[in-house]
Amino acid sequence: MTSMMILIAIATFSCSGQDFGFLQPTPEDLCKCLPLEPDIADYRHAAKHVPISNIVPQEVSVEVILTWSQDLFIPPDAPRTGRELEVFHIANAFLQKVSVNALDCDVSMEISQTADKSSPRMIVETPVDSEYCAARQTLQAQLKKYGFRLDSQHGGELPQGLPVDVVGMAFEDFEHNRGPVSTLWELHPATVTLH
C-alpha cells in the first residue's frame, strides 16, 4: 500500500511539473537515467520503445501532423499499426520546450512549425533505450552551446524557439494533460538535431 501511495504521489507531482531528478544517482548522465515507474505502468510501452525502422523517411511538417485525424481510444497494450509503422522527417521545426520525463526517463520535447512561442505544438520523444544514448547526449551538448542545461534535474521552456531537424516514427498517444500541445500524434521514438 505504501509503495502504491508513493507512485501516485510521484505521478501527481510529475504531471504537475515537479522535478524528481534529485532521485537520480547521476542526473547529468542522460544515458543512466532510472525510470521511476515500471514499464507496465507506461501507456503502450512496448509500442514506444522500438528502434526507428530502417526505411526511407517521408517528408512531413508539424503543420501537416497537426491535421492528422485522431482515434477516440487506443488500448494501452495496442501494437503499432498503420501510420505508426512509418518513419517521418521534419526538416524544419522549432524546439520550444525540452525536459527529461521523471517517470520513464524519455527526453520529451515540444516542437512547432514556427519560432513563435504561441504557435501550435506537438511532442517528440527520444526514449531512454540504450540505442538512443548518443542522440540524447548530442542534443544535450547542442543545447549547452545555447546556455541551456538539460539533465534529469534541468529542462523546461526555452527562451526562444531553436531550429531543429527531426526523424522518427509516428505514435498516437492518449489524452492527458499536454499543456499547449495540439495533437495526440507524436514522433516517438525520434531523434532531434539542432540546425
Side-chain angles (χ1 to χ4, degrees):
M1 181 74 168
T2 304
S3 60
M4 181 56 90
M5 297 286 282
I6 291 169
L7 277 176
I8 290 170
I10 288 172
T12 302
F13 283 117
S14 179
C15 291
S16 65
Q18 294 296 319
D19 184 2
F20 285 92
F22 66 89
L23 296 175
Q24 296 296 326
T26 53
E28 67 286 345
D29 190 339
L30 294 181
C31 297
K32 292 185 179 173
C33 186
L34 303 172
L36 294 179
E37 72 177 10
D39 293 352
I40 196 167
D42 187 23
Y43 177 76
R44 298 184 68 202
H45 181 85
K48 288 190 285 190
H49 292 269
V50 297
I52 296 173
S53 296
N54 189 20
I55 57 176
V56 177
Q58 299 176 45
E59 295 298 323
V60 73
S61 66
V62 172
E63 192 172 53
V64 168
I65 292 174
L66 294 176
T67 68
W68 289 353
S69 63
Q70 301 171 144
D71 291 301
L72 292 176
F73 174 75
I74 299 175
D77 59 349
R80 285 181 174 270
T81 60
R83 183 178 278 139
E84 292 184 325
L85 298 171
E86 300 172 17
V87 177
F88 295 91
H89 175 233
I90 302 174
N92 297 295
F94 290 85
L95 181 63
Q96 301 287 1
K97 184 176 182 178
V98 57
S99 60
V100 178
N101 182 326
L103 297 181
D104 63 8
C105 283
D106 290 356
V107 174
S108 182
M109 296 157 272
E110 294 178 11
I111 63 171
S112 58
Q113 182 73 39
T114 69
D116 184 345
K117 283 289 184 183
S118 64
S119 58
R121 299 179 184 188
M122 65 171 285
I123 290 178
V124 173
E125 294 200 40
T126 303
V128 67
D129 310 330
S130 60
E131 66 207 83
Y132 298 105
C133 177
R136 294 159 69 92
Q137 291 174 327
T138 297
L139 179 64
Q140 184 181 44
Q142 290 176 326
L143 287 168
K144 187 175 183 180
K145 291 178 184 176
Y146 286 90
F148 187 87
R149 189 169 173 188
L150 174 65
D151 58 36
S152 295
Q153 294 179 347
H154 302 90
E157 189 76 17
L158 291 158
Q160 69 213 25
L162 298 176
V164 291
D165 183 280
V166 183
V167 174
M169 296 180 72
F171 177 79
E172 193 172 4
D173 208 344
F174 70 105
E175 183 59 60
H176 56 288
N177 181 10
R178 300 168 75 83
V181 174
S182 302
T183 181
L184 299 179
W185 282 104
E186 305 177 352
L187 290 188
H188 187 164
T191 59
V192 175
T193 308
L194 271 62
H195 285 286

